[in-house]
Amino acid sequence: MNQQMMQNLTLFDLLARSWRRSSAVAALCFSADDSTVAFTSVDGTVAIAAVADQEPPESRIRVSGDLGQTTIRPREKPPVPLIASAAFGDGDPPLVAYLRSGFLVGTAAGEAVHLTAGGEVAETLVKIEGPIVAIDHSARTAVTAVSDGHDVFLSRNRGDVARLERNVTSSTHAVAFSPGGRRLACGLGNGLSIWAVEGPASLIRDFSLPARPISIRWSGDGTWLACGLETGGFGLISPADGLTAVVAGFPSPVRAVCWSAPANALLASGAFRIAGWSMTAPPLDGETAGALETGRAGLVLVETVAAHPQKKLVAAGYTNGRITVAQIGGRDELVIRPLGGGIAVLAWSSDGRHLAAGMVNGTAAIITFPVQMFK
């Protein structure tokens, strides 16, 4: 490889393993043990990649003896191919981590199936009438929640399915267990309902929002909920005291929200820079309360965000394919990928060594960082 080609390589070229799927990647999920990543595509298929890197960056780093300059050579081998499934329905199937290295996938036939790390359907855990459009599973309580778009069903044992008895009929396209698994948040038309599910399911409280929630994320300690809205920003909810706020003014729908425990911060997509707030001053009384200027403002929208699990860092994916990692509350950012297919989704492994990315052009990728990259 000549010197000119070396100079044109990006960090993505040097650190990422990437694969091209037949259609856009819509979602991704690390397994519970971080050994695999599942990528869903809009053609209804799921593709599984092994996280272990056959050419880890540490094996390709060289430090020159005279100047002490650190360089990394490109990969020499193509990545191990993805393991692809058959289609589970039309559109991207919902999925969640299950057991150690597998996943639960919701199908158009109304089944929640266990997909192994080897791409095989091992068993069906839940069966309902109608397609499954949302799914979540709590490993702590071994409870699975699914939605057909109207009703929500809970399963504590294989074949034991109970419907939540609600007084209203409304669409439900998002469900999320609290970190401890004892509460379940469900989208409720233009609102949200929270249920106690430790014993017989019972409604705790309904919350009204100005638009339909398209994503629900609990904070790590379970004290807050953030909901990206179909229009009009995102909602912030404190289940314990019933406080609700809407942070509006975004130029684009907030498709992703995430929590950073190390920075005690909430971050969101949908703006021309990474939007962030310190939870020491939650944005309950105004959008500027606790605002954290993170990364650099530009002319391209942030499509997705993912907070590093152990450091005060956040990764951002842009509509033009740009991927950056920024210090939360700081303007400096590391450009991983300057351009390419628009970024649909990002997620970190639990140890923060790997950043998985899914793109609208069908590219699926795992970016593996050297240990010394983020000190």
Side-chain angles (χ1 to χ4, degrees), residues 2-375:
N2 61 42
Q3 187 67 25
Q4 181 62 39
M5 291 179 65
M6 287 291 293
Q7 290 176 350
N8 291 334
L9 291 176
T10 67
L11 280 176
F12 185 85
D13 297 323
L14 293 170
L15 301 179
R17 288 163 286 156
S18 62
W19 304 264
R20 182 59 69 90
R21 304 289 296 134
S22 58
S23 62
V25 176
L28 65 86
C29 180
F30 277 90
S31 62
D33 63 1
D34 280 346
S35 66
T36 55
V37 180
F39 299 89
T40 68
S41 296
V42 297
D43 62 2
T45 61
V46 178
I48 297 175
V51 172
D53 192 346
Q54 291 187 319
E55 293 184 272
E58 288 80 8
S59 70
R60 297 179 284 117
I61 289 176
R62 177 179 176 271
V63 180
S64 62
D66 50 352
L67 299 177
Q69 184 177 13
T70 300
T71 58
I72 181 169
R73 64 170 173 80
R75 297 176 184 275
E76 296 178 350
K77 303 174 183 177
V80 175
L82 297 172
I83 298 172
S85 74
F88 290 102
D90 296 328
D92 58 297
L95 89 164
V96 66
Y98 179 64
L99 299 181
R100 286 185 55 79
S101 59
F103 305 90
L104 281 183
V105 183
T107 74
E111 297 177 335
V113 299
H114 173 199
L115 188 67
T116 69
E120 300 172 344
V121 175
E123 59 181 328
T124 298
L125 270 74
V126 180
K127 172 65 177 174
I128 63 172
E129 297 294 330
I132 292 178
V133 301
I135 190 169
D136 199 12
H137 176 77
S138 170
R140 291 194 178 186
T141 57
V143 180
T144 302
V146 300
S147 171
D148 61 2
H150 300 285
D151 290 310
V152 177
F153 302 84
L154 294 179
S155 175
R156 291 181 172 83
N157 300 294
R158 292 170 178 80
D160 175 23
V161 179
R163 181 172 63 89
L164 293 187
E165 297 295 336
R166 303 189 301 178
N167 295 325
V168 295
T169 301
S170 187
S171 63
T172 300
H173 289 83
V175 295
F177 282 106
S178 63
R182 298 180 178 182
R183 292 171 292 168
L184 177 70
C186 310
L188 185 68
N190 288 359
L192 189 81
S193 63
I194 298 179
W195 294 73
V197 294
E198 190 172 12
S202 60
L203 179 65
I204 297 175
R205 188 172 296 181
D206 286 332
F207 296 89
S208 178
L209 295 168
R212 180 170 70 94
I214 56 177
S215 62
I216 303 172
R217 295 290 182 271
W218 291 84
S219 61
D221 59 5
T223 59
W224 293 95
L225 272 167
C227 309
L229 302 177
E230 195 169 39
T231 58
F234 69 87
L236 182 62
I237 293 170
S238 171
D241 52 23
L243 289 175
T244 306
V246 174
V247 180
F250 285 78
S252 179
V254 177
R255 304 189 189 281
V257 289
C258 65
W259 298 92
S260 169
N264 189 26
L266 168 64
L267 302 119
S269 66
F272 290 104
R273 74 181 311 155
I274 302 168
W277 292 265
S278 170
M279 293 306 291
T280 59
L284 293 171
D285 299 320
E287 299 154 20
T288 60
L292 296 171
E293 290 193 4
T294 301
R296 297 183 180 277
L299 301 176
V300 181
L301 286 165
V302 176
E303 186 71 7
T304 187
V305 288
H308 193 285
Q310 298 179 5
K311 300 183 183 296
K312 297 179 181 181
L313 301 172
V314 59
Y318 293 73
T319 54
N320 68 346
R322 181 182 177 92
I323 300 174
T324 65
V325 176
Q327 189 86 21
I328 296 173
R331 299 188 62 187
D332 290 341
E333 59 184 20
L334 178 67
V335 178
I336 307 299
R337 182 175 186 254
L339 289 170
I343 310 301
V345 59
L346 294 171
W348 292 94
S349 60
S350 61
D351 62 2
R353 285 292 314 281
H354 310 276
L355 178 67
M359 306 171 201
V360 296
N361 67 359
T363 298
I366 301 175
I367 307 161
T368 299
F369 295 97
V371 174
Q372 61 269 39
M373 176 81 81
F374 304 126
K375 291 184 178 180

